[in-house]
Amino acid sequence: MIGGHDQLELAPWIKRFPGEQGTSTIVFPHAGGAAAAYRSFASALSDRGVDTFVVQYPQRGERLAHPAAETVADLAADMLGALDWAQLGPLRLFGHCMGALVGFEFTRLAAQRGVTVRELWASASQAPSTVEGSRPVPTSDRELLADIVDLGGTDARLLEDEDFLELLLPAVRADYQAFNRYSCGRDIRVDADIHVLGGQADHRVDQDLLRQWEIHTDAAFTFTMFDGGHFYLDDHLDEVAELVSCT
């Protein structure tokens, strides 16, 4: 049972979906993504007994007025400092796209602070050591909008709403700038298991970029592909939730 976990004092920007399973799961959204976008996935995990927490990055939702993080590592430190995660025992992390990099840095920082991360699920994300050599992602309004359309995953009708874009673009820009500043050597490894997931038709993150996650763990590594593109998760919520909850 959850027991003392019910007494946790959560920041208003950490959304909890209670479950009874021993290993708590933290979900890290993609670049520009809000916690609300992962409500269905978190509910699917919770339905399988997984105590699930979805975090919110600055510049959106309840954190609209919070200053943007300069780096991915800063984002990870922000998430780690938001709660005494050690109370929950060993953790499981799930991150989509940039969220997997935030999870990776969270894992590194957690080890220094006595917080155990047992597993990192890296979804539709290139391996940490491949980012620095990649083409920078765009940061101007016009290029950002084109990139969002190219990736999919956002309702096209919303992208025609000026008020929505006024909220969305600063959040995406903040995350993209943090992504562009990210670097990680091939020798950087964590003790957590790394499980990589991806979409067969993802034209942004190919299988080679996904498979290179293996060099970043001293523990187990698995690799699973699904039909679909960069946001394959939207079409495979139950399958992925079942896979994550069974480990």
Side-chain angles (χ1 to χ4, degrees), residues 39-160:
R39 184 182 295 116
S40 295
F41 180 57
S43 293
L45 288 171
S46 178
D47 288 345
R48 289 164 172 78
V50 180
D51 202 23
T52 305
F53 301 80
V54 185
V55 295
Q56 186 88 288
Y57 304 148
Q59 299 280 287
R60 71 217 73 188
E62 307 88 337
R63 307 193 69 190
L64 188 61
H66 291 196
E70 287 290 314
T71 67
V72 171
D74 288 340
L75 265 179
D78 185 24
M79 304 300 110
L80 184 60
L83 183 67
D84 181 7
W85 297 105
Q87 297 179 69
L88 303 179
L91 299 172
R92 175 194 294 120
L93 312 184
F94 182 98
H96 188 79
C97 197
M98 188 194 75
L101 299 177
V102 179
F104 182 74
E105 293 300 323
F106 182 103
T107 302
R108 294 177 63 192
L109 289 170
Q112 300 170 15
R113 302 185 189 181
V115 177
T116 300
V117 174
R118 193 181 74 182
E119 305 166 15
L120 170 60
W121 290 79
S123 170
S125 173
Q126 64 189 98
S129 56
T130 69
V131 174
E132 190 173 14
S134 300
R135 177 183 299 177
V137 290
T139 55
S140 70
D141 281 0
R142 179 176 296 180
E143 291 178 320
L144 280 176
L145 184 55
D147 197 63
I148 293 167
V149 171
D150 178 62
L151 282 175
T154 304
D155 190 329
R157 292 169 296 181
L158 291 176
L159 298 179
E160 296 174 358

Side-chain angles (χ1 to χ4, degrees), residues 166-213:
E166 190 174 336
L167 294 173
L168 175 66
L169 292 180
V172 178
R173 180 180 297 108
D175 293 349
Y176 275 23
Q177 288 173 335
F179 177 87
N180 283 340
R181 297 183 184 109
Y182 186 72
S183 65
C184 176
R186 290 177 59 84
D187 60 328
I188 303 300
R189 304 165 76 88
V190 295
D191 291 332
D193 296 344
I194 293 182
H195 305 289
V196 171
L197 308 173
Q200 296 279 5
D202 187 348
H203 63 281
R204 181 64 62 88
V205 183
D206 63 29
Q207 291 195 32
D208 178 62
L209 293 176
L210 291 170
R211 286 187 180 279
Q212 291 190 59
W213 274 97

